[in-house]
Amino acid sequence: MNKLVLATGNQKKVKELAAMLADMKIQVIPQSEFAVSDAEETGTTFVENAIIKARHAARITGLPAVADDSGLEVDLLHGRPGVYSARFAGEGASDKDNIDKLLGELKGAPEYLKSARFWCVLVYMRHADDPTPIICQASWEGMIIDEPRGQHGFGYDPVFFVPDHDCTSAQMPAELKNQLSHRGQALAKLKAALAAVN
């Protein structure tokens, strides 16, 4: 079985990505099992940050690495929180802190102006000096609602409403979310790309 290291400290992302890759006979090992510290995300785009994280994990572990950088883009906020989604309310902010800040900034805005999308960029590097990493990206359209709904997922899922399914991301069963989500779509592209080169 091929092994790859997943360059994230977010255990919920590890679980989500490992489940999606299970049928590829790839053993996904979180970087925490190698005591890999989180890379400093100094990029200003999702692509830059994903490359930084994948390179860091590949260099330390000697294994191929996959890194995800993702976040929420809200039109009324000119694309914020964007690459700062996880720390929108400051370093060490909880999901609730970030949601509270987001809802505070959108307070009073009409519903039609609350369009948003999740973005995910996945980068696969064969080794730390890989000159041609595989880069896959996808987005998921929705809108921000005023009150959190649902118990599933993480991050902004409870306030990310998907009109086609009349529920938030946090109200969806995991299987449906994995099909529709930005991460699910990007991973499907990555799986196809990996199958083509292996």
Side-chain angles (χ1 to χ4, degrees):
M1 180 177 278
N2 293 326
K3 294 181 179 180
L4 66 80
V5 63
L6 184 58
T8 181
N10 184 323
Q11 291 307 307
K12 292 176 180 173
K13 282 187 184 179
V14 171
K15 186 177 175 188
E16 206 171 78
L17 284 165
M20 292 182 197
L21 286 168
D23 63 340
M24 286 196 73
K25 298 189 174 76
I26 293 174
Q27 183 184 358
V28 179
I29 306 167
Q31 68 179 16
S32 57
E33 288 195 17
F34 298 94
V36 176
S37 61
D38 286 341
E40 195 175 339
E41 297 180 38
T42 55
T44 57
T45 65
F46 296 127
V47 172
E48 288 173 310
N49 282 335
I51 289 173
I52 288 167
K53 291 189 277 191
R55 180 171 287 130
H56 177 71
R59 179 157 284 129
I60 292 172
T61 65
L63 289 172
V66 168
D68 149 288
D69 201 51
S70 51
L72 180 69
E73 178 183 82
V74 180
D75 293 324
L76 189 63
L77 302 180
H78 306 291
R80 288 187 308 125
V83 295
Y84 305 106
S85 292
R87 50 194 188 277
F88 190 42
E91 288 297 330
S94 68
D95 289 349
K96 183 181 183 312
D97 294 336
N98 288 327
I99 286 173
D100 288 347
K101 178 175 171 62
L102 177 67
L103 295 182
E105 293 207 12
L106 293 174
K107 193 172 179 70
E111 195 173 276
Y112 72 90
L113 289 179
K114 294 181 183 176
S115 54
R117 69 210 45 81
F118 278 123
W119 279 101
C120 175
V121 173
L122 288 173
V123 168
Y124 171 81
M125 297 188 92
R126 295 165 294 171
H127 50 79
D129 298 312
D130 189 346
T132 55
I134 295 172
I135 301 171
C136 300
Q137 70 179 40
S139 63
W140 189 20
E141 295 290 326
M143 58 186 298
I144 304 303
I145 57 169
D146 295 333
E147 291 286 330
R149 291 187 215 160
Q151 302 300 317
H152 305 297
F154 56 94
Y156 298 93
D157 286 346
V159 293
F160 186 76
F161 186 77
V162 184
D164 289 350
H165 292 269
D166 196 32
C167 67
T168 68
S169 177
Q171 292 174 303
M172 288 183 176
E175 303 75 32
L176 179 60
K177 181 188 172 191
N178 289 348
Q179 275 182 343
L180 300 174
S181 77
H182 52 308
R183 194 167 292 110
Q185 293 178 60
L187 192 60
K189 292 178 182 179
L190 180 62
K191 285 171 75 169
L194 289 175
V197 296
N198 286 333

